[in-house]
Amino acid sequence: LNIVLEVSGSLNPDKIRLGVERIGPHRMIYGSNLPYSDPSVTIGLLEGAYMSDGEKRLIFEGTAKRLFGWIPDVDLPKKSEV
């Protein structure tokens, strides 16, 4: 699967959780949606979604680091480890 879901378009933490369950947090990325909305809205939705700290960390930073080549894929936790 070669897809990354950017989460700023969702206004429902349940939809974010569904994305984590269906495609995994390693295929999701935080986006601020600037200049159209305050970044704290998306941050709050992610913080309020029912998921582990490891899953949140992947969405907030891990996926971006992998996409930009800042860390190799082998350094990312497996889905069962988050």
Side-chain angles (χ1 to χ4, degrees):
L1 186 61
N2 190 19
I3 187 170
V4 175
L5 177 65
E6 191 271 324
V7 298
S8 71
S10 176
L11 297 177
N12 184 331
D14 293 335
K15 289 183 180 179
I16 293 172
R17 181 69 214 154
L18 181 63
V20 168
E21 291 171 0
R22 296 286 171 94
I23 66 170
H26 64 289
R27 298 191 190 278
M28 298 175 71
I29 192 168
Y30 165 76
S32 66
N33 205 27
L34 275 172
Y36 304 107
S37 68
D38 185 336
S40 65
V41 172
T42 306
I43 292 170
L45 285 169
L46 283 169
E47 291 294 342
Y50 180 73
M51 66 181 94
S52 72
D53 289 342
E55 290 169 328
K56 291 175 185 177
R57 189 173 58 253
L58 280 173
I59 296 170
F60 277 122
E61 62 179 280
T63 303
K65 287 179 177 179
R66 179 178 51 83
L67 288 174
F68 298 140
W70 297 340
I71 58 171
D73 288 344
V74 295
D75 288 348
L76 291 176
K78 307 292 183 260
K79 190 173 182 179
S80 62
E81 297 174 346
V82 290

